[in-house]
Amino acid sequence: MSSSSASTLRVLVVSDTPQFEDLVGCLPEDFTSEFDLEHLGDQTRMSSAVNSFNPSVVLFLFKGTESARSLTPGLVEMLGVVPFVVGGVPAEPSIRKGIYDLGAADCFDTCPEPLEFLASLARHARRFLALRDRDVNSSRTLQVSQQLRARN
């Protein structure tokens, strides 16, 4: 939806409901300066979408209990360490517990106020990117250290 840059937070939205259009319609027009949204209409192409789009956070939008049950451990495994947020989930404790047990970073029944919602997505995405950068830098440092030891 927007041009990508190094500071753009990449959000993969998985939703087969009209909630995606509702979500985009309620967001401020300038949100595209910080976010790049990719919409996936169903979960069948999840693995390829995660690999090609390289999201910093995934947003699942469901409509009710039955569709929320389609979030399975296998689906979550496709995300690897990418954080995910789940929306459209009833406040039923057993459903919410199951979603948090799968590793959801956040869960809501209705879309929060747009600025609060974007701030939440940004927080999860930036935390993921910071941890990923830290891991990459640690790996590089270890590799250089091992090369120096091998020379001595």
Side-chain angles (χ1 to χ4, degrees), residues 60-139:
F60 290 97
L61 291 176
F62 294 121
K63 187 162 180 78
T65 303
E66 286 309 310
S67 62
R69 288 194 172 123
S70 67
L71 190 61
T72 63
L75 188 62
V76 172
E77 282 180 26
M78 283 187 233
L79 301 178
V81 295
V82 177
F84 66 96
V85 175
V86 183
V89 179
E92 185 178 322
S94 64
I95 299 295
R96 293 273 175 115
K97 181 182 180 323
I99 288 172
Y100 281 119
D101 286 349
L102 287 172
D106 209 349
C107 186
F108 55 89
D109 53 353
T110 59
C111 190
E113 187 274 322
L115 294 177
E116 176 186 340
F117 179 65
L118 290 175
S120 176
L121 284 179
R123 182 181 74 246
H124 295 302
R126 285 192 185 103
R127 182 170 187 264
F128 165 70
L129 294 173
L131 291 172
R132 186 182 68 183
D133 290 348
R134 182 203 66 192
D135 291 347
V136 167
N137 291 335
S138 295
S139 178

